[in-house]
Amino acid sequence: MEQDNRESWLNRVAVGMGPLFETLDAPLPQRVRVAIGFTSTGRKGKAIGECWDNRRSADGHFEIFIRPDLAHDPDAMPAQIAAILAHELVHAAVGIPAGHGKAFKRVAIGLGLVGPMRATTPGPEFLTAIAPILAQAGPLPHARLDTGGETTAPKKQAARMLKCECEACGYTVRTARKWLESAGAPLCPIEGHGPMSHDPLDNPDDEDAAG
């Protein structure tokens, strides 16, 4: 069964895990929103998943994000993402203030998640329980995002050199704005000509200019 989008797949898996949480007396909240996207620490951060408190949401949803650059092996990705989703759903079930304490640990271990509670991984029991849920959800419409290459971000402009010119003889040089601000205009090498005039420091084409 092919899903329309990744969020549809994630929500199907979350719904499928609902009975597992109920068995552990930790029912999932009604309002949970799940997406694949970078966490608040961005692509250079180490967080692989994140759950935001529903008190931060304008419409009272727990907001869960799972980063898009996980798992080089496509076959490993569905179970890996499901395990991260389960971890974040535990936060929503027990409440963000509970952190990774006793309440979190009880539910996480009950689901079959193992390892340090701050960085759980899927154990054999979890993989067994999640297999029929993943089969029901169908293929994951997602491929690993490679963040090590080109991006759509504009390339940083090289520092613009400002032109300085002697009004007496026309001698010219170029220098960075920071030197004009800290040391002042350069002096013409011809004796008596004095400081050179220069481009305005607040030129709107300068990369440091305010937008």
Side-chain angles (χ1 to χ4, degrees), residues 161-175:
M161 304 298 282
L162 301 181
K163 180 181 178 181
C164 302
E165 182 175 3
C166 176
E167 295 182 347
C169 67
Y171 179 84
T172 61
V173 296
R174 291 184 179 274
T175 188

Side-chain angles (χ1 to χ4, degrees), residues 4 24 30 32 38 40 46 63 70 87 89 91 93 98 126 141 143 151 157 161 200 211:
D4 293 335
L24 296 168
Q30 290 294 319
V32 178
F38 286 109
S40 58
K46 296 182 179 180
E63 305 278 357
L70 300 169
H87 180 109
L89 286 173
H91 280 304
F126 178 83
T151 71
Q157 179 183 348
M161 304 298 282

Side-chain angles (χ1 to χ4, degrees), residues 148-159:
E150 294 294 326
T151 71
T152 56
K155 293 183 178 180
K156 186 176 180 181
Q157 179 183 348

Side-chain angles (χ1 to χ4, degrees), residues 29 34 50 66 71 76 85 92 100 111 135 144 185 189:
V34 188
E50 190 171 60
I66 298 173
L85 174 60
H100 295 94
L111 291 172
R144 181 180 184 275

Side-chain angles (χ1 to χ4, degrees), residues 2-210:
E2 184 175 351
Q3 304 304 315
D4 293 335
N5 52 56
R6 296 176 295 191
E7 285 67 33
S8 174
W9 186 91
L10 288 167
N11 281 290
R12 284 184 181 273
V13 174
V15 170
M17 286 194 282
L20 303 179
F21 281 84
E22 291 178 3
T23 300
L24 296 168
D25 294 322
L28 292 175
Q30 290 294 319
R31 295 187 173 187
V32 178
R33 188 174 286 129
V34 188
I36 288 182
F38 286 109
T39 63
S40 58
T41 55
R43 68 182 179 88
K44 295 184 178 180
K46 296 182 179 180
I48 59 176
E50 190 171 60
C51 180
W52 284 81
D53 198 303
N54 60 348
R55 292 171 294 181
R56 293 289 186 179
S57 171
D59 59 0
H61 280 71
F62 285 93
E63 305 278 357
I64 293 175
F65 297 93
I66 298 173
R67 63 184 303 145
D69 56 350
L70 300 169
H72 289 273
D73 183 358
D75 293 334
M77 190 180 296
Q80 179 184 18
I81 289 180
I84 298 169
L85 174 60
H87 180 109
E88 302 307 330
L89 286 173
V90 175
H91 280 304
V94 303
I96 302 299
H100 295 94
K102 292 182 179 180
F104 179 95
K105 184 176 182 179
R106 180 187 71 82
V107 179
I109 291 177
L111 291 172
L113 299 177
V114 298
M117 289 298 104
R118 290 185 176 274
T120 58
T121 56
E125 292 182 3
F126 178 83
L127 293 175
T128 298
I130 201 66
I133 297 174
L134 294 179
Q136 181 66 31
L140 169 60
H142 170 70
R144 181 180 184 275
L145 177 66
D146 182 2
T147 59
E150 294 294 326
T151 71
T152 56
K155 293 183 178 180
K156 186 176 180 181
Q157 179 183 348
R160 194 172 72 88
M161 304 298 282
L162 301 181
K163 180 181 178 181
C164 302
E165 182 175 3
C166 176
E167 295 182 347
C169 67
Y171 179 84
T172 61
V173 296
R174 291 184 179 274
T175 188
R177 187 178 74 174
K178 70 174 184 177
W179 293 118
L180 292 174
E181 292 178 331
S182 62
L187 299 177
C188 177
I190 298 178
E191 185 176 356
H193 284 193
M196 305 169 71
S197 62
H198 56 77
D199 292 340
L201 299 181
D202 58 352
N203 192 311
D205 291 332
D206 197 316
E207 66 170 342
D208 295 325

